[in-house]
Each structure stands twice: as C-alpha cells, then as structure tokens.
Amino acid sequence: MGNQIWVLGICILVYFLSSSLIVVSSTSVSGREREKGTVYIDGRAAIGKIDEDFICATLDWWPPEKCDYGTCAWGHASLLNLDLNNQIFLKAIQAFSPLKIRLGGTLQDKVVYESKDSKLPCNHFSNRSTEMFGFTPGCLPMKRWDELNAFFNKAGALIIFGLNALAGRTIQHDGSATGAWDPSNAESLIRYTVEKGYDMHGWELGNELSGSGVGTRVSAAQYATDLICLNNMIEQVYKANKSKPLVIAPGGFFDQNWFTEFINTTHNNLDVMTHHIYNLGPGVDAHLIDKILNPSYLDGEADTFRRLQNILRSSGTSAVSWVGEAGGAYNSGHNHVTNAFVFSFWYLDQLGMSSTFDTKTYCRQTLIGGNYGLLNTTTFVPNPDYYSALLWHRLMGRNVLSTSFSGTKKIRAYAHCSKLSQGIMVLLINLDGNTTIETNVAFNGTWSLPHMHHHMHKNRGRAMKWHQKEASERVRAEYHLTAKDGDLQSQTMLLNGEALSVNSSGDIPALTPLHVNSTEPIVVGPFSIVFVHMPFIVLPACK
C-alpha cells in the first residue's frame, strides 16, 4: 500500500510538470503573423530575491518654473506645493499598501531645513540662471514637513528622504565639491522627525554626486567618510527606537571605480547602495520609441546591473542594491512617450531585468511630475505605467526564477514565484507590432521526467486517467495589457480589452484577470504585455 501511495505521489508530481509543458492562453488577438515559442524556467532555486515592496516611486522638488526644451512639465508636483487633499492621489498610493516613496531629486542638495536654531529665512526656490541647475537654494518649512508626514501616514507609504549632501562643501572651478559634509542641518531635521514620531523607512545621502557627477561631484573617499558620519548620527538619534531607518547612498549614476572605492571604504555603515538609470538619453530624443522597442538596446542596461552585483558580492558588504531613481529619459521625459502605453515596455522590462540581478527595490521617477509620472501631473489620473506597477506589485512574488525564451527576439520573458498564492507568475512582453506569439512553458533542469518514467509504467491505467481529467479542469489567470485603439502613444491602457480608469470618487479600478484552461497556449498579441498566474505549478524555488 505504501509503495502505491509513493508511486501515485510521483505521478502527481509529474502531472504538475507535464501540465505546464503542455502548451499552456487566451484572448483572441489578431496579428498578421503567428509564431510559436517556449518559455524555459529553471525552478530549482531562486536567482534573486526582491523586497516585498519592490515597487517605489519618487517625489521631487522642482518648482513650476522648471522647463526643458521649451516645455514646463512640472506644474504643482513639488514636495512644497503638491495638493495633499486630492483623493485620487491618496487612493493611488493606498492601492499598493504599501508604496515606497523616495523624496528627492536634482534640487535636494540645495534644500535647507527650517529649524529652531536656523537664523536664515525659509525661502522658496527661485529662478537664477547663474546658479547650479538654474535655481537658488530652497527651504523645507517644518509646517510642510508635518503636512507631508500626516499625508504619508494616511496613505500608508514607506518614506525615504534624500538629504542635502553639499552642505558645508565648496564647489571648485573644476566642478568638484571639496571639504567634509556639514551634518548639522540634516541632524536638526532627523531629530525633529524622531521627536514628532514620524516613521522613516530610510535616509539617503545626496543626489547624483558619484563618479563625474551631475552639476558637481564628490570623491568616493570623502563620500564614504560622510556616510559613516551619517550612520553614526542616525545610530545616536534612533538609539531609543526599536528600529532604525536604512542608511542609503549615493543616489548617483553607476561608475565602477567610484562605487568600488566607496563600498570598500564604508565598512558596513551602508544598508543600501542606490544608482540611477536614464539609459534612453534626453527626453527630446526623437528616437525614444525606437529604442524602447529594440531588444538589443534594452539588453544594454544588464551590464550595469551585473557589474554592480559583482561589486557588492566581492566586497563582502551586507549592503544591497536599489535603483533609486529611473525615469528612462532625462530632463523630464517626453510627453506621450514616457507617460504613454509604450513606456510600459521599457518599465516592466526594467523591473524584470533588475530583479534577476538581485535588485531589491526599484524607484520610478516619478510618482507625479514631469512627463514620466505614474500619475498625470495636472489631473492626478493614473497613466498606463501606474497600472503596470500595481499589477507587478500585486502579482510578482519575491523569489526570482531563471527564465529564457526560445523563439523571436522580440519577446521579453520573466518569471517569479507568485505573490498571490502558490504557483508562479510569468511576465511576457511582445515588442513586435505584427506578430502574435503562441507560447508554452517548460521547466529547465527542474526534474528529470524520463528518469521517473519507469516508476509510472505499472500504474499507467488509473493514474493517467486521473491526469487527463485534472488537466482539463486546471485554469490559469491572465492579465493582457494593450493600448487603446492600438495607439502606442495612448495614455489609456486596456486590461483584457477594457479601459482602466478611476471613477468619480477616484477609486482605482479592479484588476480582474481572464481565466483560461491550462491546455490552451499562452497567446501574446502584437505590442502587448501579459502577466500569467499558473497556480498549479509547484517548484522547489517557490517553497
């Protein structure tokens, strides 16, 4: 009897695998051409592990006068003037439960914090062409800091605050910033925050001062010294608290030599190493869409992720890597590209790719503001990438699976253990506008099916009938994302053919999947994105 139970168990195990090897989807999609392909997943062990709250978005300091290429795209999206009473804004953040929000950006190293001991007036940023970045220093009033924290608490957000790392330094004629960081003003803000009982997920030192810097730069050795100073201060200020926030740096563009020297000099005073990504070039580039739809161009960023992962591994540090800011195209993005459907190809590919290199968190520039916001700068209504981010957040689990696609180069494939329940999530991105892809899912090296065949042979009768009955009853959930009217530059996204939009109360719509028999192939339409939940696949990596 025991032997029969064991053999039946083997049969069930093989069924789980064979049901996924069976061509595994979907809405009827008409492409001019149809091709077949296979997603291969190695389910033996995870190749990376993301944070539970992997999705992060930024809020910036730019005033309405910030303009690029003759376009002023920031409106009232600054931390200093954002409408905190907007219900769409509140509900958009609450939908994540929680959403990480990084407060910072180009002007953060020009922000002073109002404090009891400050003798300077608390002035707003103002235009001045002779100033770095075109603006005078600005001030964060404590009244506004109170309002922001009340809002973030209500929204259930996890806050990372970017501190001014240029305080006390002198900018030289060669563009370098010399001298030690003066932590006194930052300490006044941190102490105020603790006294008020405001929760902070992390404190980040500086913005884009690494390597050759943007505007100015700080040497890796000096930055490490300043980071140790920050960590010691946070240890001191938070000593009575149960938990201390993360210490984060440098919030700049990856430079291998600089990052290597920096991490080797911080001596485990650093929790998170952040880097920024604007790999598509300037927002004014007329070829942005071509770059987004070019798989070879998208592959280019993998080298940065790989090299940073190797630096962290070889240094012996406990620090992990985050993408601290990524807007794709710098100088505020490009209207109807970086806030349109087409940008989800770049964005979701970045989320998938960064995960495979053990990136823990990915912060999108921006939550609102510029032409690359998850929300419309004026109306607060979600842009397509908001829904892409929310689906990722709700569906893609922490364990990352090694995944490849055999077939057209225009399919980008990623897989994680499911966040919903048991099983796996597969993300498929079709960069081809003319071809529908029919794909199956197979498992590379997870178990050796031929090796088990002789155990099943004696029980073929009853066990295989059970398999056939169950296979026809197993279903998976699919989320097909397409552009309204097939227009890649549309700011309306369709989920399974239905437009996604908030109602008059600002409620985020339900993200309801299709349920598809597991014997059907996964069908990925032209210029579409599909999330697939396969709850019946049980892999060792997901236990």
Side-chain angles (χ1 to χ4, degrees):
M1 181 68 182
N3 188 50
Q4 290 176 328
I5 293 173
W6 183 83
V7 171
L8 182 58
I10 290 292
C11 292
I12 292 170
L13 179 62
V14 172
Y15 163 69
F16 280 135
L17 293 171
S18 60
S19 65
S20 60
L21 284 163
I22 298 177
V23 214
V24 213
S25 189
S26 120
T27 54
S28 63
V29 192
S30 60
R32 287 173 226 160
E33 299 176 26
R34 298 180 86 85
E35 292 183 13
K36 296 186 184 299
T38 303
V39 178
Y40 288 100
I41 299 171
D42 187 333
R44 290 172 292 188
I47 58 168
K49 192 164 189 174
I50 61 173
D51 285 343
E52 187 80 17
D53 35 54
F54 173 76
I55 296 292
C56 167
T58 67
L59 289 173
D60 215 309
W61 294 100
W62 288 119
E65 297 79 18
K66 159 67 171 171
C67 305
D68 300 282
Y69 320 117
T71 301
C72 308
W74 286 86
H76 286 77
S78 163
L79 285 161
L80 297 172
N81 58 31
L82 191 56
D83 180 7
L84 302 179
N85 295 312
N86 187 288
Q87 286 302 297
I88 300 176
F89 188 47
L90 176 66
K91 291 178 179 180
I93 297 172
Q94 287 176 331
F96 282 83
S97 301
L99 175 66
K100 278 186 180 134
I101 302 178
R102 179 247 187 183
L103 313 181
T106 301
L107 294 182
Q108 83 177 49
D109 293 312
K110 304 190 77 163
V111 179
V112 295
Y113 320 116
E114 184 183 43
S115 62
K116 289 177 277 190
D117 54 353
S118 175
K119 296 170 185 173
L120 298 172
C122 196
N123 295 326
H124 290 309
F125 293 106
S126 61
N127 278 111
R128 186 177 296 166
S129 60
T130 55
E131 289 273 351
M132 185 170 66
F133 308 126
F135 288 90
T136 62
C139 176
L140 172 62
M142 288 305 96
K143 182 176 183 294
R144 181 61 175 179
W145 186 229
D146 295 339
E147 293 168 353
L148 286 164
N149 277 282
F151 173 80
F152 294 138
N153 182 59
K154 186 176 181 181
L158 300 175
I159 300 304
I160 298 97
F161 188 92
L163 295 164
N164 178 346
L166 288 182
R169 304 191 206 274
T170 303
I171 298 179
Q172 305 297 330
H173 294 300
D174 67 354
S176 64
T178 58
W181 176 56
D182 179 356
S184 56
N185 191 224
E187 184 173 353
S188 71
L189 174 67
I190 293 171
R191 287 193 181 278
Y192 180 90
T193 301
V194 172
E195 288 166 9
K196 284 285 192 172
Y198 300 149
D199 287 330
M200 298 299 295
H201 191 68
W203 295 98
E204 183 177 29
L205 183 62
N207 183 80
E208 296 177 358
L209 301 173
S210 58
S212 56
V214 176
T216 186
R217 63 188 184 276
V218 177
S219 71
Q222 182 60 59
Y223 217 104
T225 300
D226 301 328
L227 188 281
I228 292 168
C229 172
L230 173 62
N231 185 50
N232 290 339
M233 181 228 294
I234 288 176
E235 292 275 7
Q236 179 66 25
V237 175
Y238 281 89
K239 63 183 177 183
N241 293 47
K242 292 179 181 176
S243 60
K244 89 176 176 76
L246 297 170
V247 176
I248 304 171
F253 291 102
F254 179 74
D255 178 296
Q256 182 152 336
N257 293 334
W258 195 101
F259 271 59
T260 301
E261 182 181 355
F262 177 69
I263 196 65
N264 288 336
T265 316
T266 55
H267 307 301
N268 276 324
N269 283 267
L270 183 70
D271 296 312
V272 178
M273 181 170 262
T274 45
H275 67 111
H276 293 181
I277 295 175
Y278 287 89
N279 63 323
L280 297 174
V284 74
D285 189 340
H287 301 288
L288 287 178
I289 292 177
D290 295 335
K291 290 178 178 178
I292 291 165
L293 298 177
N294 182 340
S296 297
Y297 195 93
L298 296 179
D299 286 340
E301 195 60 28
D303 185 56
T304 296
F305 291 122
R306 184 180 298 108
R307 287 192 288 157
L308 178 53
Q309 183 182 42
N310 290 338
I311 287 171
L312 292 175
R313 282 177 173 173
S314 61
S315 71
T317 181
S318 58
V320 298
S321 66
W322 289 12
V323 172
E325 181 185 315
Y330 58 81
N331 289 344
S332 306
H334 189 114
N335 196 26
H336 296 293
V337 176
T338 54
N339 53 12
F341 176 82
V342 70
F343 209 49
S344 278
F345 293 130
W346 175 85
Y347 180 43
L348 285 171
D349 188 65
Q350 277 281 300
L351 299 183
M353 181 188 295
S354 64
S355 298
T356 66
F357 292 99
D358 211 30
T359 302
K360 302 302 184 185
T361 288
Y362 193 107
C363 299
R364 167 64 178 264
Q365 173 85 348
T366 60
L367 176 55
I368 187 168
N371 284 318
Y372 36 34
L374 297 180
L375 306 176
N376 181 284
T377 303
T378 306
T379 65
F380 292 80
V381 167
N383 285 321
D385 281 1
Y386 172 86
Y387 296 109
S388 294
L390 188 57
L391 279 167
W392 176 289
H393 176 74
R394 291 181 177 177
L395 301 176
M396 303 294 273
R398 296 190 64 190
N399 286 9
V400 186
L401 305 174
S402 177
T403 309
S404 61
F405 184 80
S406 175
T408 172
K409 300 296 185 189
K410 292 279 191 171
I411 287 285
R412 315 288 286 181
Y414 300 99
H416 288 220
C417 299
S418 172
K419 195 173 188 177
L420 286 172
S421 59
Q422 67 178 18
I424 63 169
M425 289 297 316
V426 179
L427 169 61
L428 298 169
I429 301 168
N430 188 356
L431 303 174
D432 192 323
N434 296 315
T435 307
T436 296
I437 305 299
E438 295 182 1
T439 183
N440 58 339
V441 180
F443 292 86
N444 244 349
T446 306
W447 286 283
S448 174
L449 296 179
H451 178 70
M452 295 182 187
H453 183 76
H454 71 277
H455 294 301
M456 294 178 57
H457 188 73
K458 295 178 184 176
N459 295 272
R460 181 179 295 273
R462 184 175 174 186
M464 295 309 290
K465 286 179 183 175
W466 180 84
H467 285 176
Q468 290 164 2
K469 178 184 176 186
E470 288 295 307
S472 64
E473 293 175 358
R474 292 201 172 273
V475 296
R476 63 180 183 271
E478 296 182 355
Y479 304 77
H480 292 256
L481 303 177
T482 51
K484 184 180 180 183
D485 300 325
D487 177 8
L488 290 182
Q489 293 182 262
S490 171
Q491 292 177 309
T492 299
M493 175 179 272
L494 307 184
L495 171 59
N496 298 326
E498 299 293 325
L500 292 170
S501 61
V502 297
N503 63 19
S504 57
S505 301
D507 297 316
I508 302 301
L511 304 177
T512 307
L514 293 173
H515 290 97
V516 180
N517 191 292
S518 66
T519 59
E520 297 293 319
I522 298 176
V523 178
V524 190
F527 285 150
S528 75
I529 297 162
V530 188
F531 288 90
V532 184
H533 179 214
M534 303 168 70
F536 45 84
I537 301 298
V538 182
L539 300 176
C542 298
K543 288 181 181 177

